[in-house]
């Protein structure tokens, strides 16, 4: 997307939060016909985190933001806008952004939620940079947070083993350097993919009733095979497209930061781009698919380990329910 504003947006801080409780693959062997070996080889997941039952998504988002703010050394009153990517809001409304704003005491911020499933963080980042690029906002938070354990059907071995709970946050600020920060974005949706991945119950089409509960309509449904096929192509193509469009070669890229849904999708995407696996950020083995949180938790962990440096080119890419998919090219600026 072309930037016609006076500024570029750059990420100036990152942070994340994962719950302490670890659920390993063996846990599922107790009540499902599955095993550690199948889960590891078919998905790349060894364990995932689970938030306490009584705690909401905002609990993790608040902690990820606090981590991010302390890494930058600024106070919450400086924040102008909070954008929350999630498919597991605390409730239908008010928005999770309002709940987070109150919890943090962000008295000078407005905010809203964005629903784009596994592409939620990428779509939210693309939305957030508009406010920075046009000069109207100086400090914008994007937080991706999902408590997937709240909507995972523990009787469905096809899906429940995939998901985990986590939150990751970034801070965006303006820069006059047009050669750094977020350089380009490509976003796509295709509603034809809606039939393969959804949560039917609780909306205006199927308001919550005893029947929607009995029919397990408040859980994730996924036709894994169809989504797998489309995700491999969608994510690989759009990641390659942003490289080509910006004349960036695989050698110049420091990191691919892919959505963490399945290790085989991640590998296929890296192969298509000609990027070796040591330049791919991965945490799926530890956390599973945390939906909106996969990309910011990856960046935060790698940054904290001193692996992300000023001037590094990163490509972020995702594919998720909708279908939604996208890629972002950025040059790390701090
Ligand atoms: N343990 C053991 N066997 C399992 C299993 C589990 N946890 N889950 C599924 N299986 C079985 C299936 O029932 C099927 O058995 P069948 O052949 O007797 O019907 C067999 O394994 C193969 O199933 P299939 O769906 O072909 O497996 P897969 O290799 O495609 O892996 C997913 C399944 C879900 C891991 C994979 O399809 C996937 O990752 N899909 C995309 C996820 C994604 O990208 N989502 C996007 C946004 S979140």
């Amino acid at each position: 997307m072309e930037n016609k504003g006076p500024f570029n947006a750059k990420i100036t801080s990152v942070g994340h939060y994962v719950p302490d409780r670890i659920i390993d693959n063996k846990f599922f062997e107790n009540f499902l016909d599955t095993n550690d070996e199948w889960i590891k080889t078919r998905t790349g997941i060894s364990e995932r985190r689970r938030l306490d039952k009584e705690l909401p998504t905002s609990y993790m988002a608040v902690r990820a933001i606090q981590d991010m703010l302390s890494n930058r050394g600024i106070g919450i009153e400086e924040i102008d806008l909070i954008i929350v990517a999630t498919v597991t809001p605390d409730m239908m409304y008010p928005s999770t952004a309002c709940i987070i704003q109150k919890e943090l005491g962000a008295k000078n911020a407005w905010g809203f939620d964005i629903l784009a499933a596994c592409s939620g963080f990428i779509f939210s980042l693309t939305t957030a940079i508009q406010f920075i690029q046009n000069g109207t906002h100086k400090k914008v938070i994007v937080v991706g947070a999902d408590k997937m354990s709240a909507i995972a059907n523990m009787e469905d071995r096809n899906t429940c083993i995939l998901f985990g709970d986590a939150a990751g946050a970034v801070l965006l600020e303006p820069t006059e350097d047009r050669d750094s920060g977020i350089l380009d974005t490509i976003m796509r949706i295709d509603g034809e993919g809606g039939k393969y991945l959804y949560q039917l119950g609780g909306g205006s089409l199927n308001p919550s009733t005893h029947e929607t509960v009995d029919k397990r309509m408040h859980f994730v449904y996924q036709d894994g095979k169809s989504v797998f096929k489309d995700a491999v192509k969608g994510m690989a193509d759009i990641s390659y497209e942003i490289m080509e469009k910006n004349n960036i070669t695989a050698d110049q890229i420091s990191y691919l930061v892919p959505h963490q849904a399945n290790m085989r999708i991640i590998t296929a995407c890296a192969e298509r781009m000609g990027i070796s696996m040591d330049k791919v950020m991965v945490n799926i083995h530890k956390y599973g698919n945390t939906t909106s949180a996969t990309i910011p938790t990856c960046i935060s962990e790698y940054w904290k380990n001193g692996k992300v440096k000023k001037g590094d080119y990163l490509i972020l890419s995702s594919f998720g329910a909708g279908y939604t998919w996208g890629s972002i090219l950025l040059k790390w600026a701090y």
Side-chain angles (χ1 to χ4, degrees), residues 8 18 46 90 104 106 129 134-135 141 153 193 216 242 244 273 281 295 298 305 314:
N8 268 17
V18 293
S46 296
D90 287 16
L104 290 167
I129 64 174
N134 70 18
I141 291 173
N153 180 357
R216 309 211 152 272
I242 206 160
E244 260 206 324
M273 295 169 76
M281 289 194 190
I295 290 173
C298 267
N305 288 330
L314 271 59

Side-chain angles (χ1 to χ4, degrees), residues 33-35 38-39 42-43 118 157-158 161-163 197 222 224-225 227-228 231 259 261-262 264-265 289 319-321:
D33 181 13
T34 187
N35 58 75
W38 191 95
I39 299 172
R42 303 309 293 164
T43 71
C118 293
R157 68 175 183 174
N158 293 287
I161 51 118
L162 300 171
F163 297 109
L197 182 49
Q222 176 171 250
K225 230 173 248 176
V227 177
F228 184 89
H259 170 56
N262 186 311
R264 290 180 290 141
I265 299 175
N289 182 352
F319 189 93

Side-chain angles (χ1 to χ4, degrees), residues 305-321:
N305 288 330
K307 290 182 178 165
V308 186
K309 305 217 162 45
K310 192 171 178 180
D312 281 353
Y313 281 108
L314 271 59
I315 288 182
L316 325 183
S317 59
S318 68
F319 189 93

